[in-house]
């Protein structure tokens, strides 16, 4: 039985809140040094983990990653994902607990760390490679591959400050993609470049994974997590879940996301709202084929129940639209009272509208829901991300395969012949 | 108790062999909170030495890349400084108070350059070294690398300037040897220059470690450091002869009494107080070695002691606060 590649045991990380975390002011230190020399000097050595104005970014996090495992780390903003990666990368020190990394570690928290705008592409490849931990001979050997992958060959001797941001990112990622560590720590760096390059990066990542590298991977894209990872840990306010299957992890993440932005629909921020009027959208409920859920198998029934309140004083013939957006922010469906039923309605005190979709033929992925209340052509109230659903795999084509979100937007059955 | 290093090349074998070979020895990196004073991981520094060279190369390259004159500035800056301080010296009357060696007065530009040569290097260490960490924030907060390399690289790039400046100085000395038809020559004591350069490096590294770490902790130093160097050039007696800290014997009609070598006879000598300045002994040492002035032993010993202290203190303070850099920067 081999030892796990990464063992994390009871890692916690505290930050002092507010001013104290910034560098101390020179004046105040000098003053206190003069007033109470001994106490101030002792403060320099003090472990600041106790006390009230302390924020625990990580609380007692423990898990292990086996060799060759690709672990997805998911969680909402501020859950501690980046802090954990920084601790494992040795950039910041844990406040307590310890971790053991068995193998050569490379971390990629940002593409192009150490890139200097005045230096040329060629020079930056060498510099960045060295910073990421490559030997000169290693960079030399892979130089052509890196250039080819980055597609910036023509501009190799141009200072990178003249690069477009796309070229910059492509070059930076290419260097990183040619690292050969045994353990790799990757923050959400795949969310860079245009779609075609992203695809290429994902391809490169899966190549890397096939070579048996151990990887910890942070992403907000459930799509990337689902296609790359073999297991998932869900971080919530600094606490880590058990290691879970990818499916269970994504469900847990979406449940959290659904439970909050933690705000009920009536208090969510409005993109558009009626001047001097309380919000009208009150509640949104999502039904699947077997009752309330956010997990909708491809090609099955979904229903939306939208409750509106306190709009008796809103004049005009009103309409309601429910829009679905995919992870790339692309609107993929619109269910609209007027288009689908020729229906308009008048303002009342409370009204619940039910929208039933017989079959939702979207490719698997996360979809956010926008709600729009309109009067003819004027939008009166709009809530973006009023809710979200996760369309999950369902073998509707009978082949065990489906197009993914990079290949298609919808899944349409068809017949082939020759 | 381990501060394991990240890449010991010994274990760097092909990755494909890692699958299903449970008993292979992987290097272990243990991440845990460190307490108290932290030692320097020399093995790690050595295994990452290529990175240091890359960082030096970057600093040198970037410094002169955009300038139209490019690397010529490494030569122009000391030459113009020498010109300015020579003119100031002539007007202020410093120029005729230099120590006369074997009855031959040192050409004043050579005298000034001998002091500016080490000083310009030390000035880069104080200015550039002090700001090196705050100016390279992404290298602190986005990646792990031996952070001692960042101020060290700044000193490394200053070495390149020092080297170029030395060549210019050599040419200047040759010019004056020819111009004075050999009455002025550099001293045989120039053989002690390598020792002085070593001392200068130790002082510069210590200063850069201390100031760079302090600047991360106390940003106010960004504004204070430029004053340190502006004052330093005067406090270190770089651009005037140290003899102004002496009181020469004068005759009744105000003439300075001179010995047979042409040097003033002194009634009081306060030069030893300069030993409190860690760099004074280095700057004066360069003059003694190159121009053959008498060694100022108190100052030299002062520099050796203070620079060594500075180095040890700087190194340990740096290691002490290094673990908090990413939290603060």
């Amino acid at each position: 039985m081999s030892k796990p590649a990464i063992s994390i045991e009871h890692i916690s990380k505290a930050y002092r809140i507010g001013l104290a975390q910034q560098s101390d002011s020179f004046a105040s230190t000098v003053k206190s040094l003069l007033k109470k020399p001994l106490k101030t000097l002792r403060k320099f050595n003090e472990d600041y983990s106790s006390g009230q104005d302390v924020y625990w970014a990580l609380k007692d996090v423990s898990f292990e990653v086996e060799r060759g495992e690709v672990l997805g780390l998911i969680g909402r903003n501020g859950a501690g994902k980046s802090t954990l990666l920084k601790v494992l990368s040795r950039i910041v020190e844990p406040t307590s607990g310890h971790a053991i990394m068995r193998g050569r570690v490379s971390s990629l928290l940002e593409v192009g760390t150490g890139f200097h705008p005045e230096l040329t592409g060629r020079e930056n490849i060498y510099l960045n490679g060295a910073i990421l931990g490559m030997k000169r001979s290693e960079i030399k050997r892979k130089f052509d591959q890196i250039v080819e992958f980055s597609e910036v060959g023509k501009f190799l001797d141009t200072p990178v400050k003249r690069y477009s941001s796309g070229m910059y990112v492509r070059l930076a990622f290419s260097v990183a993609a040619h690292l050969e560590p045994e353990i790799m720590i990757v923050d959400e760096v795949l969310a860079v470049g245009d779609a075609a390059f992203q695809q290429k990066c994902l391809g490169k990542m899966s190549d890397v994974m096939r070579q048996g590298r151990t990887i910890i991977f942070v992403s907000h894209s459930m799509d990337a997590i689902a296609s790359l990872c073999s297991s998932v840990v869900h971080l919530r306010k600094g606490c880590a879940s058990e290691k879970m299957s990818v499916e269970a992890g994504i469900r847990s993440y979406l449940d959290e996301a659904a439970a909050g932005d933690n705000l009920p629909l009536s208090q969510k921020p409005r993109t558009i709202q009626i001047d001097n009027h309380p919000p009208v959208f009150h509640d949104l409920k999502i039904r699947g084929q077997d009752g309330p859920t956010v997990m909708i198998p491809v090609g099955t029934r979904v229903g939306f129940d939208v409750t509106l309140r306190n709009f008796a004083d809103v004049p005009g013939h009103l309409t309601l639209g429910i829009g679905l957006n995919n992870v790339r922010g692309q609107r993929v469906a619109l269910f609209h009272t007027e288009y689908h039923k020729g229906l308009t309605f008048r303002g009342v005190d409370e009204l619940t509208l039910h929208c039933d979709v017989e079959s939702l033929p979207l490719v698997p992925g996360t979809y956010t829901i926008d709600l729009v209340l309109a009067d003819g052509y004027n939008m009166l109230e709009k809530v973006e991300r009023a809710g979200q659903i996760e369309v999950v795999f369902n073998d509707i084509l009978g082949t065990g395969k489906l197009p993914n979100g990079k290949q298609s937007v919808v899944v349409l059955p068809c017949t082939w012949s020759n | 108790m381990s501060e394991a290093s990240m890449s010991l090349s010994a274990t760097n074998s092909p990755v494909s062999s890692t699958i299903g070979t449970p008993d292979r020895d992987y290097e272990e990196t243990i991440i845990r909170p460190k307490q108290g004073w932290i030692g320097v991981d020399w093995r790690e520094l050595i295994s990452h030495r290529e990175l240091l060279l890359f960082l030096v190369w970057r600093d040198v390259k970037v410094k002169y890349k955009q300038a139209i004159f490019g690397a010529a500035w490494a030569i122009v800056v000391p030459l113009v400084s020498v010109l300015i301080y020579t003119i100031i010296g002539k007007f202020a009357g410093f120029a005729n108070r230099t120590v006369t060696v074997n009855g031959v007065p040192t050409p004043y530009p050579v005298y000034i350059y001998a002091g500016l040569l080490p000083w310009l290097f030390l000035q880069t260490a104080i200015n550039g070294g002090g700001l090196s960490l705050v100016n390279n924030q992404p290298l602190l907060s986005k990646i792990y690398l031996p952070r001692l390399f960042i101020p060290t690289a700044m000193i490394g790039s200053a070495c390149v300037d020092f080297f170029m400046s030395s060549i210019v100085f050599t040419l200047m000395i040759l010019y004056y040897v020819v111009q004075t038809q050999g009455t002025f020559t550099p001293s045989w004591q120039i053989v002690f220059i390598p020792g002085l350069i070593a001392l200068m490096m130790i002082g510069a590294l210590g200063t850069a470690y201390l100031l760079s770490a302090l600047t991360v902790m106390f940003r106010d130093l960004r504004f204070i450091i430029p004053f340190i160097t502006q004052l330093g050039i005067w406090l270190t007696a770089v651009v005037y002869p140290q003899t102004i800290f002496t009181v020469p014997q004068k005759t009744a009609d105000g003439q300075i009494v001179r010995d047979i070598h042409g040097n003033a006879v002194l009634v009081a000598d306060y030069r030893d107080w300069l030993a409190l300045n860690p760099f004074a002994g280095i700057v004066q040492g360069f003059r003694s070695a190159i121009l053959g002035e008498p060694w100022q032993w108190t100052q030299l010993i002062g520099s050796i002691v203070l620079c060594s202290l500075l180095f040890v203190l700087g190194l340990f303070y740096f290691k002490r606060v290094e673990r908090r850099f990413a939290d603060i920067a």
Side-chain angles (χ1 to χ4, degrees):
Chain A
M1 192 57 200
S2 77
K3 287 180 181 169
I6 305 173
S7 314
I8 300 171
E9 280 171 46
H10 309 294
I11 290 261
S12 295
K13 173 74 188 170
Y15 281 106
R16 282 192 286 170
I17 296 175
L19 282 175
Q21 186 53 42
Q22 293 165 10
S23 53
D24 303 321
S25 138
F26 190 61
S28 68
T29 306
V30 170
K31 213 191 304 172
S32 62
L33 203 57
L34 290 175
K35 271 194 195 151
K36 324 171 194 158
L38 276 178
K39 200 176 168 197
T40 309
L41 281 178
R42 221 174 294 134
K43 204 187 91 188
F44 280 138
N45 288 311
E46 185 178 292
D47 187 5
Y48 52 85
S49 58
S50 55
Q52 302 145 339
D53 50 354
V54 157
Y55 169 73
W56 290 91
L58 293 174
K59 283 176 240 166
D60 197 19
V61 171
S62 302
F63 59 86
E64 292 186 335
V65 186
E66 302 299 328
R67 200 155 292 286
E69 185 174 353
V70 179
L71 181 108
L73 205 52
I74 55 178
R76 309 192 41 132
N77 289 330
K81 304 182 299 286
S82 295
T83 306
L84 182 56
L85 292 197
K86 281 190 173 182
V87 168
L88 295 180
S89 310
R90 298 208 290 161
I91 294 167
V92 299
E93 213 174 57
T95 307
S96 63
H98 71 273
I100 304 174
M101 318 286 283
R102 298 184 183 88
R104 192 159 86 116
V105 184
S106 276
S107 60
L108 193 53
L109 304 192
E110 179 192 66
V111 289
T113 305
F115 258 46
H116 200 289
E118 299 287 353
L119 298 178
T120 67
R122 181 190 304 278
E123 290 162 345
N124 270 312
I125 290 178
Y126 276 97
L127 179 64
N128 187 233
I131 286 172
L132 291 173
M134 281 196 247
K135 300 251 176 255
R136 208 172 94 91
S137 52
E138 195 180 344
I139 307 170
K140 224 170 193 167
R141 205 174 63 236
K142 293 180 185 158
F143 189 83
D144 291 337
Q145 275 172 276
I146 294 174
V147 174
E148 195 190 332
F149 190 86
S150 69
E151 304 165 18
V152 299
K154 263 192 294 184
F155 304 97
L156 212 50
D157 294 307
T158 309
V160 297
K161 64 177 177 183
R162 304 207 200 289
Y163 281 26
S164 73
S165 55
M167 286 161 66
Y168 184 93
V169 156
R170 286 210 301 274
L171 184 67
F173 184 84
S174 304
V175 181
H178 288 81
L179 286 168
E180 282 180 0
E182 289 148 347
I183 299 173
M184 202 162 177
I185 296 171
V186 187
D187 205 346
E188 194 150 35
V189 288
L190 292 176
V192 297
D194 55 27
F197 189 72
Q198 272 185 32
Q199 184 93 58
K200 201 167 156 182
C201 293
L202 278 172
K204 183 79 193 173
M205 287 286 288
S206 15
D207 283 352
V208 168
M209 289 163 191
R210 269 196 293 278
Q211 290 162 357
R213 238 63 78 67
T214 310
I215 300 178
I216 294 193
F217 176 58
V218 160
S219 181
H220 284 108
S221 156
M222 293 304 120
D223 203 23
I225 294 279
S227 59
L228 294 172
C229 299
S230 50
S231 56
V232 164
V233 165
H234 181 193
L235 276 177
R236 242 184 262 222
K237 293 179 182 154
C239 300
S241 71
E242 294 285 297
K243 204 155 78 180
M244 301 181 269
S245 71
V246 173
E247 203 177 318
I250 292 178
R251 187 170 307 138
S252 151
Y253 174 75
L254 288 174
D255 283 350
E256 191 200 0
D261 294 278
N262 279 336
L263 290 174
L265 176 57
S266 55
Q267 289 169 29
K268 280 192 174 144
R270 263 64 181 159
T271 319
I272 297 171
Q273 64 180 343
I274 309 170
D275 289 339
N276 305 317
H277 193 280
V280 174
F281 287 118
H282 181 72
D283 191 28
L284 167 68
K285 285 201 166 60
I286 300 156
R287 287 171 282 115
Q289 52 193 354
D290 309 312
T293 180
V294 291
M295 310 272 288
I296 311 294
V298 175
T300 63
R301 169 193 296 271
V302 60
F304 305 96
D305 303 330
V306 184
T307 306
L308 306 110
R309 253 192 202 173
N310 301 324
F311 65 121
D313 55 339
V314 178
H317 299 278
L318 304 178
T319 61
L320 173 70
I322 301 172
L324 298 185
N325 309 303
N326 65 15
V327 284
R328 272 167 277 168
Q330 190 181 10
R331 174 64 61 78
V332 293
L334 175 68
F335 308 113
H336 196 279
T337 53
E338 199 175 5
Y339 299 173
H340 289 87
K341 197 156 184 213
L343 172 79
T344 62
F345 49 92
R346 294 283 188 171
V348 289
D349 281 340
E350 179 163 336
L351 172 68
T352 300
L353 291 163
H354 308 279
C355 169
D356 283 285
V357 183
E358 200 50 47
S359 149
L360 194 68
L362 297 171
V363 297
T366 309
Y367 296 85
T368 59
I369 302 168
D370 293 353
L371 294 179
V372 178
L373 179 71
D375 159 24
Y377 292 106
N378 301 321
M379 275 201 244
L380 299 176
E381 185 168 316
K382 180 174 180 185
V383 184
E384 288 181 359
R385 311 179 73 89
Q388 67 180 351
I389 57 172
E390 183 72 9
V391 175
V392 295
F393 181 85
N394 183 19
D395 192 14
I396 54 168
L397 303 181
T399 58
K401 290 182 179 160
L402 284 179
N404 64 34
K406 298 260 189 282
Q407 296 167 321
S408 179
V409 175
V410 292
V411 184
L412 300 177
C414 68
T415 53
W416 285 91
S417 57
N418 57 8
Chain B
M1 296 307 286
S2 161
E3 289 196 62
S5 79
M6 238 166 103
S7 79
L8 298 174
S9 48
T11 56
N12 188 9
S13 60
V15 175
S16 51
S17 71
T18 64
I19 307 164
T21 48
D23 293 317
R24 224 191 98 195
D25 277 340
Y26 289 98
E27 62 183 278
E28 284 197 358
T29 309
I30 299 173
I31 297 161
R32 66 165 89 227
K34 298 189 185 91
Q35 296 290 329
W37 298 94
I38 295 151
V40 178
D41 187 351
W42 300 105
R43 271 201 326 182
E44 181 186 43
L45 297 187
I46 290 166
S47 73
H48 282 68
R49 61 189 180 279
E50 276 189 358
L51 175 58
L52 178 61
L53 290 178
F54 271 113
L55 291 174
V56 172
W57 167 82
R58 177 191 70 158
D59 282 348
V60 173
K61 200 114 197 183
V62 167
K63 195 153 152 195
Y64 297 116
K65 194 120 188 171
Q66 272 279 291
I68 295 170
F69 274 13
W73 283 113
I75 297 165
V76 172
V77 169
L79 276 181
V80 171
S81 306
V82 166
L83 184 68
I84 291 170
Y85 288 115
T86 301
I87 293 169
I88 292 177
K90 298 272 187 207
F91 278 103
F94 301 149
N96 47 33
R97 293 199 65 179
T98 57
V99 177
T100 314
V101 180
N102 300 330
V104 182
T106 303
Y108 196 61
V110 175
Y111 185 86
I112 288 293
Y113 208 149
L116 274 176
L117 186 68
W119 174 256
L120 288 179
F121 179 85
L122 291 166
Q123 182 176 302
T124 316
I126 299 169
N127 278 340
L131 292 176
S132 58
L133 287 178
V134 285
N135 286 347
N136 282 294
Q137 210 173 317
L139 294 188
L140 299 180
S141 61
K142 292 292 181 188
I143 192 98
Y144 176 81
L145 49 83
R147 280 135 179 177
L148 267 178
F149 279 179
I150 299 171
T152 309
M154 179 51 81
I155 303 297
S157 75
C159 285
V160 175
D161 288 355
F162 180 79
F163 179 71
M164 309 249 292
S165 182
S166 303
I167 292 175
V168 178
F169 188 38
T170 310
L171 294 175
M172 182 193 256
I173 288 175
L174 287 178
Y175 168 80
Y176 277 103
V177 169
V178 172
Q179 203 230 15
T180 60
Q181 292 167 341
T183 50
F184 162 73
T185 51
S187 162
W188 66 270
Q189 293 175 9
I190 205 162
V191 298
F192 295 116
I193 279 287
L196 286 165
I197 291 178
L199 181 58
M200 179 179 79
M201 294 291 170
I202 290 170
L205 287 171
T207 311
Y209 294 154
L210 186 64
L211 286 181
S212 60
L214 278 170
T215 310
V216 174
M217 309 304 281
F218 308 102
R219 294 300 163 91
D220 311 62
L221 279 172
R222 293 171 86 130
F223 305 102
I224 297 172
I225 287 174
F227 291 117
I228 299 180
T229 50
Q230 279 177 33
L231 266 180
I233 198 165
W234 297 102
L235 292 181
T236 316
V238 178
V239 292
Y240 55 84
Q242 287 195 352
T243 49
I244 69 166
F245 296 118
T246 61
V247 180
Q249 192 181 351
K250 289 187 178 174
T251 57
D253 55 349
Q255 289 297 307
I256 293 174
V257 179
R258 291 181 185 274
D259 61 16
I260 49 165
H261 299 296
N263 285 320
V265 178
L266 305 178
V267 290
D269 187 344
Y270 303 108
R271 282 180 290 188
D272 284 353
W273 285 100
L274 285 167
L276 293 174
N277 177 336
F279 303 137
I282 299 173
V283 169
Q284 183 56 35
F286 267 72
R287 289 199 193 112
S288 302
I290 297 167
L291 310 174
E293 288 189 10
W295 295 96
Q296 297 291 327
W297 291 110
T298 319
Q299 290 179 32
L300 198 59
I301 290 164
S303 276
I304 292 170
V305 171
L306 289 176
C307 285
S308 309
L309 272 177
L310 207 53
F311 184 78
V312 173
L313 180 69
L315 202 55
F316 277 88
Y317 181 70
F318 191 98
K319 292 306 287 183
R320 180 77 181 83
V321 297
E322 180 183 17
R323 63 207 179 94
R324 289 176 58 198
F325 283 168
D327 292 338
I328 293 168

